[in-house]
Amino acid sequence: FENGLGRVFTERVIRVHDAQKAEGLQRFSFPYSEGREEIEVLVAERLSKDGRREPALRISDVGPRGKHGGVYTDVAEKVVTFPPLAAGDTLHLRVRKELIGRQNLFGDFFGAIEPIAGAMPARDWRLVIESPRARVLSWGGKGAPTPVIAHEVFEGEPVQVHDFRVAAVA
């Protein structure tokens, strides 16, 4: 937004191929800063190979609050926990995180680090950034894709859309 605040939607769709390796897929955490960000899990479900939809076992907030080890922190995590998974299951997660307040803590600044490669292979990785046309964005890094840039009007305001895509990541 013009004042440096922003809203992030994250969506993950994960297909389980090997139940023995799926233990690491039972818990997902989404970090946020209490008092500066609000986070909401919009979708957290398991789709079994026979077509049943089941919600996550638990969605909870965890993390230190206040002073720990001589350091004050406001970082917490929204944690989504699933039951044991079977081969053929698909997990679907959608999360919204929004900076709150009257202005960005860092002033007129927008920054994001979005790792593309991780512990699991990925197909159809995508990052879309919508921003005011006046905001100049830059990007880069090892293997960073070049976005397709479009200009649109959203809710009456002119915006630029940077659409970064990677078909497959090892």
Side-chain angles (χ1 to χ4, degrees), residues 52-151:
R52 288 180 291 122
R53 290 181 182 268
E54 300 174 31
L57 276 180
R58 183 173 46 260
I59 299 173
S60 57
D61 290 288
V62 298
R65 290 168 177 81
K67 190 173 182 180
H68 293 275
V71 176
Y72 286 97
T73 183
D74 65 352
V75 177
E77 292 179 311
K78 184 73 76 172
V79 177
V80 179
T81 306
F82 289 97
L85 304 169
D89 286 349
T90 300
L91 299 177
H92 183 202
L93 292 147
R94 188 179 301 151
V95 176
R96 178 190 58 82
K97 180 166 52 172
E98 188 156 353
L99 289 168
I100 57 174
R102 296 189 325 158
Q103 68 182 26
N104 186 335
L105 180 66
F106 302 106
D108 185 27
F109 173 80
F110 167 78
I113 297 174
E114 293 294 332
I116 298 171
M120 297 183 293
R123 224 175 20 197
D124 301 324
W125 180 92
R126 185 176 184 198
L127 171 66
V128 178
I129 298 176
E130 296 177 359
S131 64
R133 284 191 193 168
R135 185 170 295 279
V136 177
L137 300 181
S138 60
W139 56 89
K142 184 179 178 183
T146 300
V148 171
I149 302 172
H151 297 279

Side-chain angles (χ1 to χ4, degrees), residues 14-16 45-55 83-92:
I14 300 166
R15 179 73 182 235
V16 177
E45 64 183 357
R46 176 176 100 175
L47 290 79
S48 62
K49 64 181 175 183
D50 63 8
R52 288 180 291 122
R53 290 181 182 268
E54 300 174 31
L85 304 169
D89 286 349
T90 300
L91 299 177
H92 183 202

Side-chain angles (χ1 to χ4, degrees), residues 6-27:
R7 178 181 305 133
V8 177
F9 287 93
T10 301
E11 184 167 36
R12 292 184 185 169
V13 178
I14 300 166
R15 179 73 182 235
V16 177
H17 294 285
D18 184 341
Q20 292 179 342
K21 296 178 182 176
E23 188 175 317
L25 298 174
Q26 287 180 243
R27 184 180 188 272

Side-chain angles (χ1 to χ4, degrees), residues 27-38:
R27 184 180 188 272
F28 293 86
S29 62
F30 300 90
Y32 68 100
S33 295
E34 290 185 318
R36 289 186 294 148
E37 297 174 318
E38 289 180 347

